[in-house]
Amino acid sequence: MLLRKPRFSHSQLTDLEAGPNPECTEQFVLEGVSMKATLTKTGILLTPLETRRCWPLPANLPSSIPFSEILCVATSHSVPSWRCCRGLWRTQKVTHRLSICTFKRPRLHQCHWVSHSVELESQEEDVVRRWAADINEAVSINSVRPKALLVFLNPFGGSGRAPTVWARDAAPILSKAGVRCKVVVTERPLQAYETVRDLPLLDLESYDGILAVGGDGMFQELLNGVMALRSCGEADRAAAAAQLRLGHIPGGSTDAVAYSLNGTRSAVTAALHVALGDRTPLDVMRVDTADGSHRFSVCYATYGYMGDLLRTSETLRWSKWLGGRRYPLAGAFTLLRGRSYRACVSYVPSTPATSKSVECTSQCQICAEATDARAGDTSLHSSAPSEGEPAWTVVEGEFKSIMAIVTPCRSDMSARGLARTAHLSDGRLKLVLVRRCSVLQYLRLLARIPTLGIDAEHDLPFVTVLDVVAVAVKPIGAESSWNVDGELMPSNHLSARVHRGAVQMFSRGVE
């Protein structure tokens, strides 16, 4: 019979290749296979001591478990029982179990993490207890992991599944990791924004981050609340707010923020990123209007087709029987109307331009150059021109749609993103100008978005995609509406500027 070695799913650690330490090596049993386990500076190295002749063979046995991917370690033991062996009744020995709470990555979808427990068994109780203590100590040394979080839960957004998502998927993971959570269930719009904006200094210093459980609207409230804190004029509160990390536990209808950050809408994956203390900077776009109001966005600002669609869907909100079906109905109506709008578009091109073939991943070199969030950064207070930047370029014409896209904006409709070559923290906006075209031409553009994205190289002469750092739009004549992350702006005279890596997120990017 052919011998078959077990397959491994966890990635190898570079530091583990230095060789085992005889003083930190023990023998355990994992899924019936004898394993030699070695503690190193960065994790646990597991080496099989035997091959199996029986069938079926255990698959996907881990070859290494980094400390950075361990939530916690627990010990237990099996209760002795009697069994019949060769006609004689004998009692089994007590088996002590070392349960390592971690996760695994499915082969077909590496971003979609799944909670997993590695069960190492031994007959020696002292060995199991000593290893549990050593591993927990190594895990606790990681200072980037959060200790206390402020959680806002929106029970009304999307399909109303946020409470279930929190209780079933996110809360148990954070509890295992020893993270204390204060949960605030919102009861009205802007409650989360106002609560965060008014947080006293003592509370700000007691939290390591803030989580939004719900849809993109809930996250936008938290984002704007934190940005309001950073420009409140009080140096201590502004500095404390700049150190907070934000997280999005998806529980809405689109969840573009969590999807763009993690490559999946899985609440378990998002919670694991938070519990493990992952960190990545995220670009933020400040949007100013002529009436003096402003808001911050991490997704998009659109004028024309998407603005008309949102405005039309809002008029259908009164119809309860339509529900979520009002969006495709509004989209079809807006498309058939085929309206275009005249506008003057001014923008500042980014330098240097990036390659259109580069997509953002967890190992993105472009995003790695982003600096940490800065407290008291006065550039966040306005979208006005900065010194030393290139001159503004002015384009006037009739446009079907104008889009300023901050991040890839991934969703179920476009898994690789509305703008595939956008990055999480490259300090650029994707400015998409769609000039006047027929209904069939625009429908052709919409049909390409799920497979190619709107910024892909194409043969559509009415579409222009530019890398910019700032944009200003002045409507001429009949006006559409600005749709900023699913919210209508009160004024259509708009200017926007991107701020590179302005906030820190609980994420590591798309793997």
Side-chain angles (χ1 to χ4, degrees):
M1 181 179 295
L2 295 178
L3 300 182
R4 180 183 175 188
K5 294 184 178 180
R7 295 174 294 176
F8 307 119
S9 60
H10 282 270
S11 59
Q12 292 280 1
L13 291 177
T14 54
D15 292 345
L16 293 177
E17 297 176 357
N21 184 350
E23 298 180 355
C24 300
T25 300
E26 293 292 345
Q27 182 173 335
F28 292 93
V29 176
L30 175 60
E31 297 186 25
V33 180
S34 296
M35 308 286 287
K36 181 178 72 173
T38 304
L39 279 180
T40 69
K41 294 181 179 179
T42 57
I44 306 169
L45 177 64
L46 297 173
T47 307
L49 296 177
E50 63 181 38
T51 56
R52 297 289 299 259
R53 295 180 177 272
C54 61
W55 186 268
L57 298 177
N60 298 325
L61 293 179
S63 59
S64 62
I65 310 175
F67 291 139
S68 60
E69 297 184 357
I70 296 177
L71 292 177
C72 64
V73 175
T75 61
S76 62
H77 63 275
S78 62
V79 179
S81 60
W82 291 85
R83 68 173 182 175
C84 182
C85 180
R86 296 181 179 180
L88 299 177
W89 286 92
R90 297 181 180 179
T91 182
Q92 293 178 308
K93 295 182 179 179
V94 178
T95 300
H96 299 276
R97 185 177 293 108
L98 182 68
S99 301
I100 303 174
C101 296
T102 179
F103 65 91
K104 58 183 178 180
R105 302 172 174 88
R107 291 186 177 183
L108 297 181
H109 196 175
Q110 294 285 316
C111 300
H112 191 96
W113 295 355
V114 179
S115 295
H116 180 59
S117 179
V118 179
E119 307 288 343
L120 299 178
E121 298 178 349
S122 174
Q123 301 295 330
E124 303 293 336
E125 182 180 5
D126 293 340
V127 170
V128 170
R129 292 187 178 276
R130 175 165 53 84
W131 272 62
D134 292 343
I135 296 173
N136 279 323
E137 181 181 0
V139 170
S140 64
I141 293 176
N142 191 343
S143 60
V144 300
R145 298 194 179 191
K147 302 296 188 298
L149 297 172
L150 179 60
V151 181
F152 287 90
L153 191 152
N154 179 12
F156 308 106
S159 56
R161 61 189 184 93
T164 301
V165 166
W166 170 253
R168 181 192 62 196
D169 300 329
I173 291 175
L174 296 175
S175 177
K176 286 182 180 179
V179 182
R180 303 185 307 275
C181 296
K182 178 182 178 181
V183 181
V184 178
V185 180
T186 59
E187 300 175 352
R188 56 180 174 83
L190 298 181
Q191 179 181 347
Y193 165 77
E194 295 169 357
T195 303
V196 173
R197 180 196 61 189
D198 299 333
L199 282 175
L201 178 60
L202 186 62
D203 288 349
L204 287 172
E205 292 178 339
S206 65
Y207 296 120
D208 299 306
I210 305 179
L211 298 187
V213 184
D216 295 322
M218 171 58 69
F219 178 82
Q220 299 299 336
E221 282 195 36
L222 298 186
L223 171 70
N224 281 272
V226 170
M227 301 308 285
L229 269 174
R230 292 175 59 177
S231 58
C232 66
E234 301 177 26
D236 293 342
R237 294 178 70 213
Q243 300 302 317
L244 291 174
R245 275 177 285 176
L246 305 183
H248 182 203
I249 306 296
S253 56
T254 305
D255 303 320
V257 176
Y259 211 137
S260 297
L261 287 169
N262 306 323
T264 177
R265 289 181 64 190
S266 166
V268 171
T269 303
L272 285 168
H273 281 291
V274 175
L276 297 176
D278 289 338
R279 177 192 296 267
T280 190
L282 185 67
D283 287 348
V284 174
M285 175 176 64
R286 176 181 171 119
V287 178
D288 290 270
T289 56
D291 64 352
S293 63
H294 74 275
R295 65 172 298 161
F296 294 92
S297 163
V298 296
C299 291
Y300 58 79
T302 67
Y303 182 82
Y305 173 77
M306 291 296 293
D308 288 351
L309 189 156
L310 181 60
R311 184 170 57 185
T312 303
S313 69
E314 288 299 313
T315 62
L316 299 175
R317 185 180 289 273
W318 59 269
S319 179
K320 295 183 179 180
W321 66 271
L322 279 177
R325 290 173 292 185
R326 72 178 189 269
Y327 293 107
L329 180 62
F333 180 73
T334 304
L335 180 65
L336 292 175
R337 288 179 63 189
R339 298 194 62 178
S340 300
Y341 300 91
R342 191 162 189 83
C344 178
V345 181
S346 305
Y347 62 88
V348 179
S350 63
T351 54
T354 57
S355 171
K356 291 186 177 297
S357 61
V358 177
E359 295 189 18
C360 189
T361 64
S362 59
Q363 304 297 328
C364 181
Q365 296 299 319
I366 297 174
C367 295
E369 298 174 0
T371 57
D372 291 336
R374 300 177 296 278
D377 188 350
T378 56
S379 67
L380 295 172
H381 303 170
S382 172
S383 59
S386 302
E387 296 182 2
E389 69 181 10
W392 288 70
T393 301
V394 180
V395 177
E396 184 175 326
E398 196 167 352
F399 301 97
K400 190 88 167 181
S401 179
I402 301 172
M403 305 182 192
I405 305 173
V406 189
T407 53
C409 293
R410 294 180 171 90
S411 67
D412 291 335
M413 296 296 295
S414 182
R416 294 178 62 184
L418 173 64
R420 292 190 177 184
T421 58
H423 288 255
L424 295 179
S425 55
D426 64 345
R428 293 176 172 87
L429 298 174
K430 291 291 180 181
L431 177 60
V432 183
L433 303 177
V434 183
R435 294 186 177 273
R436 182 178 182 179
C437 59
S438 67
V439 173
L440 290 178
Q441 286 176 318
Y442 197 74
L443 183 60
R444 181 184 175 190
L445 172 64
L446 294 178
R448 297 168 66 105
I449 291 177
T451 55
L452 299 176
I454 203 167
D455 58 337
E457 297 182 4
H458 49 67
D459 55 351
L460 304 178
F462 55 90
V463 179
T464 303
V465 181
L466 303 167
D467 285 337
V468 304
V469 296
V471 62
V473 179
K474 180 181 179 182
I476 302 173
E479 298 182 7
S480 177
S481 300
W482 274 102
N483 174 355
V484 179
D485 291 344
E487 298 289 338
L488 292 174
M489 296 297 289
S491 173
N492 292 325
H493 293 252
L494 176 146
S495 62
R497 177 175 293 274
V498 65
H499 299 279
R500 187 173 190 180
V503 295
Q504 297 291 321
M505 302 296 301
F506 286 107
S507 173
R508 64 178 62 174
V510 179
E511 291 188 330

